[in-house]
Amino acid sequence: MGLLDDKVVLVNGGSQGVGAGIVRAAVREGATVVFTGRRAGVGDQLAAETGAHFLRADLADPAQARDSVTRAVAAHGRLDCLVNAAGLTSRGSLLDTTPELFDAHVAINLRAPFFAMQAAVADMVARKSPGTVVNIITTSAHGGQPYLAPYVAAKAGLVGLTRNAAHAHRFDRVRINGLNIGWTDTEGEDATQRAFHGAGDDWRERAAEAQPMGKLGQVDEIADFVVFLLSDRSGVVTGSVIDWDQIVIGGLD
């Protein structure tokens, strides 16, 4: 038996990277999976590979973030689990971030999870049925690099929202947790390193050599942990924001 047998799972931002890994892991563990993304070709390819159902959506639009839940419920009668995995990581410091860049980060990294959670928790509460939510956040929410100012601002907000919503709905038995992931090997990170940091083809190898465990974070390992948090095997845990990284926050040499 799988960890998510008979569960209906929505993964927002599930067409690539960590989100796609979660889609694959949830399908493997027996869930009926719906996922969203902006690019139809990429989404259709993952749907064909996994048997999950793809919904094209631009989560920067709060109506589409809410509608992702509505459409999943309409298709399957309910929603048991929500994962907010979409993320914008474009660079900006305190001094050079424009209002437009700041708003873009808030739209994807904070507002979209808020309104998707609003719709998902409303469905769970209306049915008087337990449910789980996992928000993919970042260790940079603790402070982060100078060139990630709007990203950190939005993701730190998601940390607070995760705990606030978990507290508000604990007696509804809706468990809401977050995962602060560190530097992870994804297609998006490859594009970011090349676009913003002048990285060459060997950037992964060079980065891995500098890490304590000799590798960057791996999508499949993160996905397995998310599936555990979504499942009943994670017990009563709620309101936890877990640092999933090989850097020890607060540790000094």
Side-chain angles (χ1 to χ4, degrees), residues 16-18 184-191 203-204 216-217 219 222:
Q16 65 177 11
V18 170
T184 304
D185 186 358
T186 65
E187 312 97 289
E189 183 60 22
D190 180 60
W203 77 264
R204 284 185 173 91
L216 297 178
V219 166
I222 294 169

Side-chain angles (χ1 to χ4, degrees), residues 94-105:
L94 178 65
L95 298 183
D96 64 21
T97 294
T98 63
E100 292 77 16
L101 179 61
F102 185 87
D103 288 348
H105 274 274

Side-chain angles (χ1 to χ4, degrees), residues 130-146:
T132 52
V133 177
V134 174
N135 292 320
I136 304 302
I137 315 179
T138 172
T139 54
S140 292
H142 292 289
Q145 296 88 334

Side-chain angles (χ1 to χ4, degrees), residues 95-253:
L95 298 183
D96 64 21
T97 294
T98 63
E100 292 77 16
L101 179 61
F102 185 87
D103 288 348
H105 274 274
V106 170
I108 293 295
N109 294 324
L110 180 56
R111 191 175 65 191
F114 186 103
F115 287 105
M117 288 170 61
Q118 181 185 77
V121 174
D123 173 68
M124 295 165 187
V125 170
R127 292 185 292 106
K128 295 184 166 112
S129 179
T132 52
V133 177
V134 174
N135 292 320
I136 304 302
I137 315 179
T138 172
T139 54
S140 292
H142 292 289
Q145 296 88 334
Y147 53 78
L148 290 179
Y151 175 71
V152 169
K155 287 291 194 177
L158 185 54
V159 169
L161 173 61
T162 298
R163 293 183 173 130
N164 178 272
H167 177 72
H169 293 284
R170 65 199 189 281
F171 284 108
D172 295 314
R173 299 184 182 177
V174 176
R175 299 189 298 110
I176 303 172
N177 295 291
L179 203 60
N180 277 340
I181 63 173
W183 199 3
T184 304
D185 186 358
T186 65
E187 312 97 289
E189 183 60 22
D190 180 60
T192 295
Q193 289 297 318
R194 293 175 188 274
F196 293 100
H197 302 287
D201 291 340
D202 64 343
W203 77 264
R204 284 185 173 91
E205 291 76 15
R206 293 169 59 119
E209 289 171 359
Q211 303 309 303
M213 306 303 162
K215 63 179 181 179
L216 297 178
Q218 299 298 300
V219 166
D220 59 336
E221 295 169 353
I222 294 169
D224 286 346
F225 198 83
V226 171
V227 164
F228 173 76
L229 286 175
L230 292 174
S231 77
D232 295 339
R233 289 294 297 151
S234 56
V236 300
V237 63
T238 192
S240 291
V241 179
I242 300 162
D243 291 328
W244 196 99
D245 197 9
Q246 56 196 303
I247 304 303
V248 180
I249 304 299
L252 298 172
D253 293 322

Side-chain angles (χ1 to χ4, degrees), residues 36-51:
T36 65
R38 288 183 298 174
R39 294 185 294 160
V42 174
D44 290 339
Q45 183 176 352
L46 182 62
E49 172 196 332
T50 61

